[in-house]
Amino acid sequence: MRPILFLLCILGSFASGFSSNLSNSPSYSKPKSIAKMPPYAPKSGVLANGKSKSMAVRGGELKSTNDSTGEAQSPLSPLSPLSRFIQLSSSLYGTGGVMYILIKAIRRVYPIALEPFAEGAIPMTQLQLGAYIATCLWFAYVEGYKGFQTKFAPLVVSRSLTIELGLSKIHHLLLAPLYSMGLFHATKKRMIVSWSVSLGVAAIVVAVKKLPYPWRNIIDAGVVAGLSWGCLSILLHYIKALVTGNSPADPALPKKD
């Protein structure tokens, strides 16, 4: 029983450490509208000739503009249907790719989680059944709600909205799911957290595989609950961002020197 409690504590620590509460960061102000400013927040100034100057984050990079309106100079207008379609396609690949990774993980462990209820399986004791239910609820809250819904999902959606075909670097576009997870081209703190969680979860998966029946099944049931909640929360955050025009969190992009 001690190894089970130990693994639960470790999993809880990693789930709670998906990221800091980025949306409440004092240095970050949400863009007013994705439709009007996709997906960047301009910072305006005035040049010596009286024209406005703005710095905007597009394609994961700071772009400098110099015109009387302060809008980004781009071959595609931010308000044009073509620009919106390209942005939607790029961000959908980033967000959808992360969801695909989660769905694949759910499909792998789902049969194992249901194994104790299969015909011919050794029935669980009342204690084990109670642990099964409690683990599902615990993972749903700690990993699903605290880890994904309030932290990781907003980050993924916000970073995916900074990807734009023709403006983002090619490897940002090709590796959009990994980019959206903050595994590269992010602040130092964000990359440390993202890589620590990814490697930590991988190590825990190896450890869980060595657990005897039915404890491995109990842990996997919790994982299914947490990842399912997380996958749904990413989808809802993405839909909400498209409908409301608001980016849900700071994308944690690296600052330019």
Side-chain angles (χ1 to χ4, degrees):
M1 192 67 181
R2 289 182 180 178
I4 305 299
L5 296 176
F6 177 70
L7 284 173
L8 287 174
C9 292
I10 295 179
L11 284 168
S13 299
F14 277 112
S16 299
F18 271 116
S19 71
S20 57
N21 196 347
L22 296 171
S23 59
N24 293 333
S25 173
S27 61
Y28 170 68
S29 58
K30 294 181 181 179
K32 294 181 180 179
S33 171
I34 293 175
K36 294 181 180 179
M37 301 187 300
Y40 55 87
K43 300 179 181 179
S44 299
V46 179
L47 298 177
N49 59 8
K51 293 184 178 181
S52 64
K53 177 183 180 182
S54 65
M55 297 297 291
V57 178
R58 299 192 65 177
E61 297 291 345
L62 286 176
K63 302 293 183 182
S64 178
T65 66
N66 181 10
D67 58 68
S68 59
T69 63
E71 293 182 355
Q73 301 285 346
S74 164
L76 297 173
S77 169
L79 297 177
S80 69
L82 180 58
S83 178
R84 293 181 194 176
F85 174 76
I86 292 176
Q87 180 198 349
L88 177 63
S89 301
S90 304
S91 63
L92 184 60
Y93 172 50
T95 299
V98 176
M99 291 180 60
Y100 175 73
I101 294 173
L102 297 179
I103 291 173
K104 283 193 65 177
I106 293 171
R107 290 184 61 183
R108 280 201 306 267
V109 299
Y110 181 73
I112 301 175
L114 294 183
E115 186 179 335
F117 303 102
E119 185 178 354
I122 301 175
M124 293 186 293
T125 65
Q126 290 186 346
L127 174 63
Q128 292 168 342
L129 182 60
Y132 190 101
I133 297 173
T135 301
C136 289
L137 294 175
W138 187 84
F139 269 80
Y141 176 74
V142 175
E143 182 183 20
Y145 175 71
K146 296 287 288 183
F148 275 98
Q149 183 173 330
T150 65
K151 298 177 181 179
F152 188 66
L155 174 80
V156 168
V157 173
S158 297
R159 287 181 63 84
S160 73
L161 291 172
T162 67
I163 304 172
E164 192 167 347
L165 186 63
L167 295 176
S168 298
K169 293 181 179 179
I170 185 63
H171 64 286
H172 293 180
L173 187 61
L174 294 176
L175 303 176
L178 303 182
Y179 169 89
S180 299
M181 293 169 64
L183 294 176
F184 66 94
H185 194 70
T187 61
K188 183 178 180 181
K189 179 181 179 181
R190 178 66 257 168
M191 287 194 293
I192 290 175
V193 172
S194 294
W195 279 104
S196 297
V197 170
S198 300
L199 296 176
V201 169
I204 292 173
V205 167
V206 174
V208 169
K209 287 182 178 180
K210 298 181 180 180
L211 293 176
Y213 176 90
W215 299 111
R216 177 187 176 183
N217 311 79
I218 292 173
I219 298 295
D220 283 341
V223 170
V224 170
L227 294 184
S228 298
W229 189 312
C231 191
L232 181 60
S233 66
I234 292 176
L235 176 62
L236 294 179
H237 272 292
Y238 186 72
I239 294 175
K240 182 180 178 181
L242 296 181
V243 172
T244 64
N246 292 324
S247 181
D250 178 5
L253 295 174
K255 295 181 179 180
K256 303 289 287 185
D257 295 332

